[in-house]
């Protein structure tokens, strides 16, 4: 185990500087709440409010673990004159918001090495630029150049200068009678780190008190705070896998006192049990992303075939590279594009993707005698399903149809934080509603809202050449493709109950063909979809189990309290009108206090919003950009205060200052 001497050197320097601090056991923080400290065990203090701030105290000095929103250089534990050291557990705003205050107060503020990507000025600027790419001039953007392709959460609006991101996993150092060891615990975030503290001079295995400052690695036993942060990808389970290993590693360290940032302390024998229970819940939750493994566990497998096995998985960053597969006389498939042709010639495209869709349309005319494209439909609001619209010639010659909920995204890409959306506006000519039946040539198209991978999804039911078909977007795949589904995740606005609802609709329809995207069209099998229903129901139960509120629809939605539009253009010293929108899926009314968190960008504001049970509410507000703010893009976070703590929503607005 390494000795980390960096902290010792800096602390020795700053200790002799005598930086004055005012005692702050009960002082107002920057969200207007009194900060009260309680001694947990001798020499270890915590704030009563959440997110918890923790402090090791020795005489009139302290070392803080975390720099949460309510802990500042003027709100320290009783009789503490000086904060010498701040150890950040991870980059999330609620946990590290006041790091800059402590840097200015000459405390040594340290973070894990990996946190540099999420805390440094360069790293944070790169994150926001990648999250909101500009439309390149004179160049067709690649697939990855789309909104919020980086699955990182609660990032600071700007980097924090002066934070030393130098803590390595296993690093150990002494501070005023304490020995502290860092333990990398990724999961809740990629840079998450816990700190184990014991009295100096005691071997770790024999230490009478082994205090673990575990950040947000665990909340109450079995639960995790803002569990949507486990999602490092909309489909895969890397975050859950990492968190499971981290929790078991913490349990193996055998702490006697566990101090989470969003829960009560856990003591004694309950510590190991709590960590292992949470690890088991997280592991099961990660497995709930994989339908393929689930259905294989219920042998025998239902047998159903791909309709075009040569097309499976061919839609990628390069587009739809294969010629059309003729599924029936009037239905064709290439990668992410379906073509429904009419007897008199015109074509309806489902999901015109990529530049080479022009070549595919020409092939329809040349090789199959089809007429012009008359309608393009969009199955869901991911740009690998509609960017071909920007290359099809003669835009006035065809119409774009889609579900009204999808149109809200693609026609106004700055309104929502919706990942994988193209920043270019798509003019939608016909907005369809759930339950609509529309006629196109000889076809009758029944429209369904089909949530799953995302709530912004459509299902189109139609009979083609005697086959009862359902276009399903990215919700469902053959169990051997992409683990059987497009995944579920909070940021993508797709949760397990969405799949439950959609599967119930499909079981009632009993189509013959499921026209999945990415070349994955397959035969419908009732038993397969009954299993999908059970799988989604189980996933919802597991997600509820790990949610502190007991309802994953609350804890798994980072945009449950949001600003619309997300991105606004504004001039200096001018007001801009936006809306606070809050969803409440619970059975009880909720009241929020919302405050803007960057007074250097917009004038301070505070608003109250009540949301009735099982409904949504909104409030029109005005933000005024301060006169000397520089031109460019500025991120403005908001603090959302619930009944007894900060809400877990990732709430912010983006102002493009002219």
């Amino acid at each position: 185990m390494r000795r980390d001497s960096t902290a010792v050197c800096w602390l020795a320097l700053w200790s002799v500087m005598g930086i004055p601090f005012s005692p702050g056991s009960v002082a107002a923080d920057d969200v207007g709440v009194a900060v009260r400290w309680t001694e947990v065990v001798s020499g270890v203090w915590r704030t009563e409010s959440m997110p918890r701030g923790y402090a090791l105290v020795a005489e009139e000095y302290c070392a803080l673990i975390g720099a949460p929103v309510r802990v500042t250089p003027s709100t320290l534990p009783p009789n503490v004159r000086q904060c010498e050291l701040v150890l950040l557990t991870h980059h999330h705003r609620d946990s590290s918001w006041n790091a800059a205050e402590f840097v200015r107060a000459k405390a040594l503020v340290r973070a894990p090495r990996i946190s540099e990507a999420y805390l440094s000025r360069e790293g944070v600027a790169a994150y926001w630029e990648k999250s909101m790419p500009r439309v390149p001039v004179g160049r067709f953007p690649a697939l990855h150049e789309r909104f919020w392709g980086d699955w990182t959460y609660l990032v600071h609006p700007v980097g924090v200068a002066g934070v030393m991101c130098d803590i390595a996993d296993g690093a150990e150092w002494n501070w005023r009678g304490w020995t502290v060891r860092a333990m990398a615990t990724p999961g809740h975030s990629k840079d998450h780190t816990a700190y184990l503290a014991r009295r100096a001079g005691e071997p770790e295995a024999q230490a009478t008190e082994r205090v673990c400052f575990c950040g947000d690695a665990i909340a109450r036993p079995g639960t995790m705070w803002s569990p949507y942060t486990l999602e490092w990808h909309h489909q895969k389970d890397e975050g859950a896998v990492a968190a499971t290993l981290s929790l078991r590693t913490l349990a193996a360290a055998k702490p006697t006192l566990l101090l989470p940032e969003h829960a009560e302390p856990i003591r004694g024998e309950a510590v190991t049990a709590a960590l292992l229970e949470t690890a088991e819940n997280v592991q099961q939750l990660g497995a709930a992303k994989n339908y393929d493994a689930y259905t294989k566990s219920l042998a025998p497998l239902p047998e159903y075939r791909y309709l075009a096995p040569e097309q499976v998985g061919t839609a990628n960053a390069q587009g739809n590279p294969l010629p059309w597969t003729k599924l029936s006389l009037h239905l064709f498939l290439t990668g992410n594009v379906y073509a429904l042709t009419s007897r008199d010639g015109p074509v309806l495209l489902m999901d015109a993707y990529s530049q080479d869709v022009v070549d595919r349309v020409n092939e329809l005319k040349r090789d199959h005698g089809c007429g012009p494209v008359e309608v393009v439909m969009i199955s869901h609001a991911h740009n690998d399903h509609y960017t071909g619209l920007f290359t099809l010639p003669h835009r006035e010659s065809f119409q774009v149809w889609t579900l009204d909920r999808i149109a809200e995204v693609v026609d106004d890409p700055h309104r929502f934080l919706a990942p994988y959306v193209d920043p270019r506006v798509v003019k939608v000519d016909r907005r369809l509603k759930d339950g609509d039946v529309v006629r196109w040539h000889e076809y009758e198209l029944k429209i369904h809202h089909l949530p799953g991978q995302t709530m912004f999804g459509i299902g189109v039911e139609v009979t083609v050449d005697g086959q009862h078909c359902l276009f399903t977007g990215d919700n469902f795949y053959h169990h051997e493709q992409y683990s059987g589904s497009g995944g579920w995740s909070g940021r993508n606005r797709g949760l397990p109950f969405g799949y439950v609802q959609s599967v119930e609709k499909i079981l009632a329809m009993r189509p013959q063909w499921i026209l999945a995207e990415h070349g994955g069209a397959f035969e419908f099998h009732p038993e397969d979809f009954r299993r999908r229903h059970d799988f989604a129901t189980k996933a919802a139960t597991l997600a509820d189990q790990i949610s502190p509120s007991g309802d994953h629809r609350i804890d798994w939605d980072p945009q449950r309290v949001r600003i619309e539009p997300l991105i606004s253009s504004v001039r200096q010293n001018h007001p801009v009108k936006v809306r606070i929108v809050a969803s409440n899926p619970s059975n009880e009314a909720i009241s929020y206090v919302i405050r803007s968190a960057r007074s250097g960008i917009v004038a301070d504001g505070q608003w109250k919003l009540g949301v009735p049970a099982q409904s949504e509410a909104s409030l029109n507000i005005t933000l005024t950009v301060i006169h000397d703010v520089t031109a460019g893009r500025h991120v403005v976070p908001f603090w959302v205060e619930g009944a007894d703590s900060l809400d877990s929503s990732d709430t912010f607005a983006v102002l493009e200052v002219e």
Side-chain angles (χ1 to χ4, degrees):
M1 201 172 291
R2 285 186 310 282
R3 283 280 169 190
D4 189 329
S5 60
T6 308
V8 178
C9 297
W10 278 96
L11 290 171
L13 173 62
W14 284 341
S15 178
V16 299
M17 293 173 66
I19 305 297
F21 284 80
S22 56
S25 56
V26 186
D29 72 329
D30 62 349
V31 294
V33 178
V35 179
R36 297 182 180 273
W37 290 85
T38 301
E39 192 169 33
V40 185
V41 294
S42 178
V44 180
W45 291 70
R46 68 153 193 192
T47 61
E48 294 183 8
S49 56
M50 293 188 286
R52 308 279 191 201
Y54 289 100
L56 293 172
V57 174
E59 299 175 344
E60 55 187 11
Y61 303 98
C62 76
L64 294 176
I65 291 79
V69 60
R70 290 176 174 141
V71 178
T72 69
S74 62
T75 59
L76 298 176
N79 304 314
V80 170
R81 182 179 65 86
Q82 182 175 342
C83 174
E84 293 185 322
L85 173 65
V86 179
L87 301 174
L88 302 181
T89 58
H90 59 303
H91 72 272
H92 288 171
R93 289 193 300 271
D94 60 337
S95 178
S96 62
W97 181 254
N98 282 320
E101 292 290 325
F102 286 98
V103 169
R104 284 191 286 272
K106 306 301 183 186
L108 174 60
V109 182
R110 304 182 69 196
R113 289 176 177 172
I114 193 174
S115 297
E116 186 170 5
Y118 314 112
L119 287 174
S120 70
R121 289 192 179 276
E122 297 78 13
V124 171
Y127 166 79
W128 290 114
E129 186 62 32
K130 181 178 179 182
S131 296
M132 297 175 286
R134 274 78 166 183
V135 178
V137 177
R139 178 176 64 82
F140 196 88
L143 175 65
H144 65 273
E145 293 177 9
R146 50 191 181 175
F147 280 13
W148 272 275
D150 186 330
W151 286 60
T152 308
Y153 307 88
L154 296 160
V155 179
H156 282 253
V158 294
V160 185
V163 175
M164 296 179 63
C165 298
D166 64 340
I167 297 177
D169 182 25
E172 186 175 282
W173 59 91
N174 291 325
W175 178 84
R176 294 187 178 272
W178 291 91
T179 298
V180 181
R181 178 163 67 92
M183 289 184 64
T185 49
H188 177 73
S189 68
K190 293 180 182 179
D191 62 330
H192 197 279
T193 292
Y195 298 98
L196 292 169
R198 65 184 189 276
R199 295 291 178 181
E202 292 184 336
E204 186 167 338
Q206 286 80 44
T208 54
E209 195 76 69
R210 296 185 297 279
V211 182
C212 179
F213 300 98
C214 59
D216 283 326
I218 183 176
R220 295 195 318 274
T223 70
M224 293 188 70
W225 183 253
S226 58
Y228 63 81
T229 60
L230 289 170
E231 294 166 342
W232 299 359
H233 184 273
H234 72 273
Q235 180 189 24
K236 300 175 184 177
D237 63 350
E238 301 105 313
V241 170
T244 301
L245 178 59
S246 294
L247 288 160
R248 288 177 175 156
T249 301
L250 282 175
K254 299 188 180 304
T256 60
L257 177 62
L258 200 60
L259 298 176
E261 291 184 5
H262 283 93
E264 297 298 317
I266 304 171
R267 302 172 188 268
E269 294 180 358
V271 170
T272 300
L275 290 167
L276 293 179
E277 176 190 353
T278 309
E280 180 63 24
N281 287 353
V282 175
Q283 182 177 30
Q284 291 184 37
L285 189 74
K289 299 274 189 176
N290 190 325
Y291 173 68
D292 180 52
Y294 176 79
T295 189
K296 285 178 177 175
S297 72
L298 303 175
L301 280 170
E303 294 184 6
Y304 56 101
R305 66 182 179 90
Y306 286 113
L307 301 181
E310 70 278 6
Q311 293 285 351
V312 173
T314 58
N316 52 34
Q318 284 69 51
N320 301 285
L322 294 181
W324 297 93
T325 294
K326 194 171 185 176
L327 300 179
S328 69
L329 183 61
H330 295 95
L331 184 62
F332 300 81
L333 167 62
T334 175
N336 260 9
V337 185
Y338 287 92
L340 178 62
T341 65
S342 60
R343 286 192 296 266
D344 52 351
V347 174
L348 180 152
L349 295 181
M350 174 61 77
D351 285 356
Y353 167 53
S354 84
Q355 290 174 284
D356 61 15
V357 72
V358 175
D359 296 333
R360 302 287 85 81
V361 169
N362 289 335
E363 286 171 6
L364 285 174
K365 296 177 182 178
R366 183 190 68 228
D367 300 339
H368 302 282
C370 299
V373 173
E374 195 170 88
V375 173
V376 176
M377 297 192 76
I378 302 174
S379 71
H380 61 295
H382 289 172
N383 80 346
D384 59 334
H385 295 267
Y386 65 87
T387 53
L389 281 168
F390 301 112
T391 65
L392 286 171
H394 311 299
R395 173 62 181 86
E396 71 284 353
S397 67
F398 63 88
Q399 288 196 334
V400 175
W401 298 359
T402 193
L403 190 72
D404 50 4
R405 293 193 178 197
I406 301 171
E408 290 176 344
V409 181
V410 299
D411 198 16
D412 187 4
H414 288 177
R415 178 177 172 185
F416 297 109
L417 196 168
Y420 307 146
V421 175
D422 198 279
R424 294 168 291 181
V425 173
V426 174
K427 178 181 178 293
V428 176
D429 301 288
R430 188 168 185 179
R431 298 184 178 218
L432 308 169
K433 296 184 180 298
D434 182 34
D436 282 354
V437 177
V438 297
R439 194 85 186 175
W440 180 76
H441 292 270
E442 69 267 31
Y443 300 105
E444 193 174 78
L445 309 173
K446 186 168 184 182
I447 306 304
H448 301 275
H449 178 216
L450 214 63
Q453 185 196 52
T454 172
M455 67 176 283
F456 305 119
I458 191 174
V460 180
E461 185 181 3
V462 61
T463 297
V464 186
D465 301 324
Q467 295 291 330
H468 184 193
C469 302
L470 181 66
F471 294 95
T472 58
D474 277 355
N475 283 331
F476 305 104
Y477 295 105
H478 192 288
H479 68 86
E480 294 175 344
Q481 184 180 6
Y482 304 141
S483 301
S485 82
W488 56 267
S489 58
R491 172 164 279 181
N492 209 14
R493 283 186 166 86
L495 294 174
F497 274 129
Y499 275 110
V500 172
Q501 295 164 8
S502 293
V503 171
E504 288 174 351
K505 287 183 179 181
I506 293 170
L507 285 169
M509 288 181 226
R510 296 182 71 87
Q512 294 167 287
W513 286 357
I514 299 295
L515 300 181
E517 298 284 1
H518 296 274
F522 62 91
E523 293 175 323
F524 170 78
H525 193 297
E527 173 59 22
D528 173 57
F529 271 79
R530 282 191 286 270
R531 291 186 181 190
R532 293 176 191 267
H533 185 275
D534 294 343
F535 176 70
T537 303
K538 180 180 179 182
T541 300
L542 291 170
D544 286 344
Q545 181 175 272
I546 204 169
S547 299
S549 71
D551 188 339
H552 78 280
R553 297 171 302 168
I554 295 174
D555 297 292
W556 223 281
D557 186 355
Q559 287 90 48
R560 190 167 40 83
V561 182
R562 59 193 182 274
I563 306 298
E564 295 182 7
L566 180 72
I567 305 175
S568 300
S569 296
V570 63
R571 289 184 292 165
Q572 293 172 336
N573 209 31
H574 279 69
V576 58
K577 295 185 182 299
V578 298
R579 289 196 311 157
I580 302 172
V581 183
S583 302
N584 178 13
S586 73
N587 295 322
E588 296 182 359
I590 299 176
S591 294
Y592 293 112
V593 175
I594 301 106
R595 298 176 174 89
S596 54
R598 280 192 81 188
S599 57
I601 303 297
V602 297
D604 290 343
Q606 175 179 310
W607 305 272
K608 294 182 179 180
L609 179 61
V611 192
Q614 299 184 357
S615 66
E616 186 171 275
S618 64
L619 178 67
N620 294 323
I621 67 171
T622 299
L623 303 175
T624 300
V625 176
I626 294 173
H627 69 89
D628 58 351
V629 172
T630 58
R633 178 179 287 166
H634 298 277
V635 178
V636 180
F638 289 75
W639 300 125
V640 180
E641 185 79 21
D644 57 359
S645 67
L646 289 179
D647 188 79
S648 61
S649 297
D650 191 357
T651 307
F652 60 92
V654 180
L655 303 180
E656 298 273 12
V657 180
E658 299 173 4

